[in-house]
Amino acid sequence: GIQVEQSPPDLILQEGANSTLRCNFSDSVNNLQWFHQNPWGQLINLFYIPSGTKQNGRLSATTVATERYSLLYISSSQTTDSGVYFCAVALNTGTASKLTFGTGTRLQVTL
Amino acid sequence: GAVVSQHPSRVICKSGTSVKIECRSLDFQATTMFWYRQFPKKSLMLMATSNEGSKATYEQGVEKDKFLINHASLTLSTLTVTSAHPEDSSFYICSGGGHTDTQYFGPGTRLTVL
């Protein structure tokens, strides 16, 4: 099956710092999503981004599908950004497409 | 975005009992829903695909007789952990998609088997 690796596995930032999270995947995909899992376990949708670049406030993401990687940028980090960030991919599109989750990046933002 | 609820959020049971977890799509209809399992500080692992009106499809290594899935309507899927044992303790999460390619996740159910 498809392999999804994320780096770094752990990251500690001071509030206000910027960071880049990376997601590498082993096969061509048609579906890629980024999620934030908050400390209570809820997965929050950040981006659906099988290709291209998107921005939403302090967050932005870029996927280079031909090179099989995606990047999530967090600017001016806040303590509420703490949690685990997952990318997830699927070979197919559609609501029945099975997602394979990456290994995750655990982010802690300190004051 | 679409909203998915799960009930209960937390359950503690004795070894040998069965536990049912409900997953509901509140503002969309889901022909397909998914069940995941997450161990502490680990990633999500897909357990099964729940199909409305038909049998669930289980991932390799997941015991279908242990984890019973029923998708009785377009807004409700249930996962029953039968004869639960301590090794079944985990965080169980469901998801579903509306009319887009984006998956929306429930808040999860933390199961502890004593």
Side-chain angles (χ1 to χ4, degrees):
Chain A
I2 192 167
Q3 304 298 314
V4 187
E5 295 288 332
Q6 291 183 242
S7 60
D10 296 280
L11 186 59
I12 300 175
L13 296 175
Q14 245 186 340
E15 197 171 43
N18 303 328
S19 61
T20 301
L21 282 57
R22 186 176 179 105
C23 170
N24 291 331
F25 41 96
S26 62
D27 205 344
S28 298
V29 299
N30 290 296
N31 184 335
L32 188 146
Q33 298 176 44
W34 281 96
F35 298 93
H36 173 214
Q37 187 172 37
N38 68 20
W40 297 272
Q42 173 75 63
L43 279 139
I44 300 162
N45 296 69
L46 298 178
F47 295 102
Y48 171 77
I49 187 166
S51 64
T53 298
K54 289 186 178 180
Q55 180 160 5
N56 184 2
R58 295 182 296 105
L59 302 181
S60 64
T62 295
T63 297
V64 184
T66 53
E67 297 188 20
R68 301 181 185 172
Y69 73 89
S70 183
L71 301 174
L72 177 70
Y73 306 96
I74 305 174
S75 63
S76 303
S77 58
Q78 300 175 359
T79 56
T80 51
D81 295 332
S82 296
V84 184
Y85 289 80
F86 290 105
C87 69
V89 303
L91 299 178
N92 303 315
T93 59
T95 57
S97 55
K98 298 196 294 186
L99 290 174
T100 298
F101 276 76
T103 49
T105 292
R106 187 171 300 272
L107 172 64
Q108 183 180 353
V109 181
T110 62
L111 291 172
Chain B
V3 180
V4 177
S5 70
Q6 275 185 248
H7 178 79
S9 58
R10 186 182 296 266
V11 57
I12 301 172
C13 69
K14 292 183 179 180
S15 188
T17 61
S18 294
V19 174
K20 180 185 283 190
I21 302 169
E22 292 187 349
C23 175
R24 293 181 185 274
S25 56
L26 299 185
D27 53 1
F28 67 98
Q29 294 185 327
T31 305
T32 302
M33 300 181 93
F34 300 93
W35 287 95
Y36 297 82
R37 183 173 183 176
Q38 185 179 31
F39 290 106
K41 298 192 176 183
K42 297 293 185 182
S43 187
L44 280 74
M45 288 177 47
L46 180 65
M47 298 174 63
T49 303
S50 173
N51 304 299
E52 188 267 337
S54 64
K55 290 183 179 181
T57 306
Y58 291 83
E59 294 301 300
Q60 191 172 9
V62 177
E63 299 176 60
K64 61 180 182 181
D65 295 330
K66 158 70 77 175
F67 300 101
L68 299 179
I69 291 172
N70 184 274
H71 196 147
S73 75
L74 288 172
T75 59
L76 174 64
S77 175
T78 60
L79 168 68
T80 301
V81 184
T82 62
S83 187
H85 291 282
E87 58 266 29
D88 299 323
S89 298
S90 194
F91 192 54
Y92 293 88
I93 309 172
C94 69
S95 75
H99 60 279
T100 68
D101 292 331
T102 303
Q103 288 285 320
Y104 295 94
F105 286 77
T109 297
R110 192 165 304 281
L111 170 64
T112 303
V113 185
L114 303 175

